[in-house]
Amino acid sequence: MEELYSKAETLALRRKHIGPSCKVFYAKDPLKIVRAQGQYMFDEKGERYLDCINNVAHVGHSHPYVIKAATKQMELLNTNSRFLHDNLVQYAQRLTATLPDKLSVCYFVNSGSEANDLALRLARQYRGHQDVITLENAYHGHVTSLIDISPYKFNQLGKDSKKEYVHVAPSPDIYRGKYREDHPDPASAYAEEVKKIIEEAQKNGRKIAAFIAESMQSCGGQVIPPVGYFQKVAEYVRAAGGVFIADEVQVGFGRVGKHFWAFQLQGEDFVPDIVTMGKPIGNGHPMSCVVTTREIAEGFGASGLEYFNTFGGNPVSCAIGLAVLDVIEKEDLQGNATRVGNYLLELLAEQKEKHPLVGDIRGVGLFVGVDLVKDKQKRTPATTEALHLIYKLKERQILLSADGPYRNILKFKPPMCFTMEDAKHTVEILDALLTELEEATGMKAENNVSTNVQCKRKTTEESSQPEGASESNGHVNGAACRQENGIYSKKRSVPILIP
């Protein structure tokens, strides 16, 4: 593609005209991306990069079916939702069909931040309560109301930055958190922490409006709550007159493979009161949605204040949303997330047994975290090493990011068209880079791990079996490498060698 500016000129103009707090990936040597297709991005020189981080381009960059749907509708009409249009109601009907029955009323907006901001308004209007319980390291958006409930952000502002109406519960992290994998019931233990927060708030005359949580924490470090946690939290919160908000902005629309929504990993007996969605919903088009119950929606309307969003639910956005749902179904992207995700997890599990830098592997579907540590016993975060690996992977034309409170967790959340070949290629390069880094830093490879705790690597043929078939084979030792409720959990009590 012909460039308007050289890379140096583009960077200089960005520095001149774009706010300095708007950061770029790979600040030492930013990428200039000029086009993308599927799971690949291309720079101004035509170099191809494998995109392992872009959960916005959900069904693949520049998907022709989505582009065609957008173009066709743009040629006809784009206007606001105060006019009747079939796209709006058809999309609302299709979207709510993926959710439990009681989640039936939609509000269409334009970003995940808008969705979460509106969810807070709905929750506060419902009972007239104000306070919000959020999780450690949570991030829910960039607008003021959401920075206030996002410890991932407000903790950077100093110790006095938390508002009095915000209460922070421990992240339900069984690897680094207060209650770990050796606890007999971490779900109940973490939920009891929320109950204590509610009781303390009530003693101080405060009233809980909502508990909000990402169904799986992303910025918080690829944290997957233990099954049963949400049910117990919802019980305590509802008893206090609050509602449960499930933030699916990062992880919804089939990314977990087994289910369309990540909150469904908790079990059929859990249904949130409000669900927010964004990022993947439009495959890069700015759109999002809040879905709630009829009761909460009517409570919001009872204030007499009209809710109107200029662009939310416009015909073009709805046409794009419908196209994304079509592609997920027609291309079996949920099934692909399960098959490729399981394969990726098994490949990474082998790296955990091989490399002292890899402390934990956790994930489900195409949402996977690699927790890097300097010491497996102490679980000391390997922050510098993670950054080093990110840049080295970029040199090998693989785009990955590091996140979590210590920035030591490699995050896999690629477009849903990510293949087994992509997974194999990425892990092979990661393996070589880990070996190189460990040799350079004097870390010893763990060579005395029993073969009884090795995960058997699936062949492509084995991994392409029907969903469910792979869950009963491919694991030599169930205690070492197991699938529970669709969630991969890797045994952590491996022998430790002291360098």
Side-chain angles (χ1 to χ4, degrees), residues 201-436:
Q202 290 175 331
K203 285 180 184 177
N204 294 323
R206 308 202 67 87
K207 296 180 179 180
I208 303 299
F211 172 91
I212 184 170
E214 292 176 271
S215 298
M216 300 190 295
Q217 279 191 298
S218 184
C219 292
Q222 311 296 88
V223 174
I224 304 171
V227 173
Y229 172 68
F230 281 176
Q231 288 91 327
K232 291 179 172 64
V233 169
E235 178 186 343
Y236 300 146
V237 170
R238 288 165 182 160
V243 302
F244 192 110
I245 302 170
D247 180 343
E248 292 270 341
V249 170
Q250 291 267 13
V251 294
F253 291 87
R255 177 158 295 277
V256 300
K258 193 172 185 178
H259 301 286
F260 203 79
W261 303 105
F263 72 77
Q264 293 170 319
L265 291 167
Q266 292 282 309
E268 293 183 0
D269 59 334
F270 172 68
V271 180
D273 301 295
I274 301 172
V275 176
T276 60
M277 50 195 76
K279 293 188 187 299
I281 189 173
N283 209 53
H285 180 78
M287 58 185 291
S288 60
C289 186
V290 179
V291 184
T292 190
T293 65
R294 173 62 57 184
E295 183 182 7
I296 291 174
E298 289 179 351
F300 188 56
S303 68
L305 189 66
E306 178 192 6
Y307 181 77
F308 172 67
N309 189 298
T310 303
F311 300 108
N314 69 73
V316 171
S317 292
C318 291
I320 290 169
L322 285 164
V324 169
L325 293 180
D326 286 344
V327 174
I328 292 171
E329 181 178 348
K330 290 177 181 178
E331 298 185 6
D332 187 28
L333 294 183
Q334 271 189 261
N336 188 65
T338 295
R339 292 185 293 271
V340 177
N342 285 346
Y343 183 57
L344 174 61
L345 286 164
E346 291 188 0
L347 295 176
L348 290 170
E350 293 177 357
Q351 302 308 306
K352 179 180 184 296
E353 302 300 342
K354 181 178 180 180
H355 295 287
L357 267 171
V358 181
D360 190 39
I361 304 295
R362 51 184 178 265
V364 53
L366 287 174
F367 183 83
V368 176
V370 180
D371 199 316
L372 299 180
V373 297
K374 295 179 180 180
D375 183 305
K376 284 192 176 183
Q377 202 165 31
K378 297 178 181 178
R379 303 183 183 185
T380 311
T383 302
T384 303
E385 292 82 355
L387 182 62
H388 172 83
L389 286 170
I390 293 304
Y391 273 91
K392 286 296 183 180
L393 284 163
K394 172 179 169 281
E395 290 176 8
R396 302 295 294 272
Q397 295 169 258
I398 294 173
L399 305 182
L400 205 61
S401 65
D403 216 330
Y406 305 103
R407 301 293 195 275
N408 69 306
I409 296 161
L410 306 184
K411 297 171 64 172
F412 286 84
K413 47 187 182 70
M416 296 273 280
C417 52
F418 200 73
T419 68
M420 291 183 184
E421 291 75 18
D422 296 328
K424 186 172 185 291
H425 173 64
T426 300
V427 176
E428 284 177 347
I429 292 179
L430 180 60
D431 179 18
L433 293 174
L434 284 166
T435 299
E436 179 184 278

Side-chain angles (χ1 to χ4, degrees), residues 25-26 51-56 399-401 411-415:
F25 282 134
Y26 311 105
D51 183 359
C52 299
I53 57 176
N54 207 320
N55 60 336
V56 176
L399 305 182
L400 205 61
S401 65
K411 297 171 64 172
F412 286 84
K413 47 187 182 70

